[in-house]
Amino acid sequence: DIQMTQSPSSLSASVGDSVTISCRASQNIGTFLSWYQQKPGKAPQLLMYSGSSLQRGVPSRFSGSGAGTDFTLTISSLQPEDFATYYCQESFSTTGITFGPGTIVD
Amino acid sequence: QVQLVQSGAEVRKPGASVKVSCKASGYPFSGYYIYWVRQAPGQGLEWMGRVNANTGDTDYAQTFEGRVTVTWDTSISTASIEVTRLNSDDTAMYFCARMRIWNGHYLDFWGQGTLVTVSS
């Protein structure tokens, strides 16, 4: 099974800061990596897919990079609505998916 | 527009079963999986299983194999997940979400979530 880790587990930031979240896979997953944002009491929302493709409607201050085992999500200028928990998710396996443990941005 | 509308909150006693539904609309169902993902209070996201809405084929996370059944009813465009032998660790929000079957690798629309509480 593929294991996903994220770092940091939480971070404190201010409006206007640039924020970077890391995600690591236990094996090479190519670019089969997506990022989600979740706010309390809500369903997750897709931000990025295929490592670096921005989902329609997501602000361009979000960007993703990486391939293989190491990936990053960057928020270039943090806005008040960006305080949330962020999850990475791999889909390399043909029979299922695995989420990272999440990173809280507060 | 795409919608995944889930059934309401449930309360069950330990050892019982629960079935949560997810009604899909606004897109061609046969081109998508429905995934089920749960989230225990204060915890992360955990994939449970999925159903191919075209064939009805299913896959399950190893953790849930044998205790969870996912189905798709074409006549009412609704996916369901049944969890048996409930215990307190199954108290969680349960989400459905869709993923394209062909070359799909991400969950682009999610249901609103269904809270299942297991308590004696």
Side-chain angles (χ1 to χ4, degrees), chain A residues 1 32 34 36 38 41-46 48-50 55 87 89 91-92 94-101, chain B residues 33 35 37 39 43-47 50 59-60 62 93 95 99 103-113:
Chain A
D1 285 5
F32 294 123
S34 304
Y36 301 84
Q38 188 181 31
K42 300 292 187 182
Q45 286 195 298
L46 178 67
M48 314 285 308
Y49 60 93
S50 299
Q55 171 67 351
Y87 294 93
Q89 170 244 310
S91 53
F92 181 79
T94 57
T95 55
I97 59 176
T98 306
F99 291 95
Chain B
Y33 291 106
Y35 276 67
V37 174
Q39 185 170 41
Q43 302 301 307
L45 302 170
E46 183 177 28
W47 173 63
R50 70 180 184 184
D59 294 290
Y60 299 97
Q62 199 167 2
M93 187 71 81
F95 295 102
M99 180 185 291
N103 205 28
H105 297 283
Y106 46 86
L107 301 165
D108 61 351
F109 280 92
W110 294 65
Q112 83 276 21

Side-chain angles (χ1 to χ4, degrees), chain B residues 74-91:
Chain B
T74 300
S75 67
I76 55 173
S77 60
T78 298
S80 298
I81 185 168
E82 183 174 25
V83 185
T84 61
R85 305 192 303 275
L86 290 164
N87 60 66
S88 57
D89 291 340
D90 295 313
T91 293

Side-chain angles (χ1 to χ4, degrees), chain A residues 20-40:
Chain A
T20 298
I21 298 168
S22 296
C23 175
R24 176 167 286 179
S26 59
Q27 66 181 71
N28 189 333
I29 60 169
T31 56
F32 294 123
L33 193 284
S34 304
W35 290 96
Y36 301 84
Q37 177 193 70
Q38 188 181 31
K39 297 180 180 178

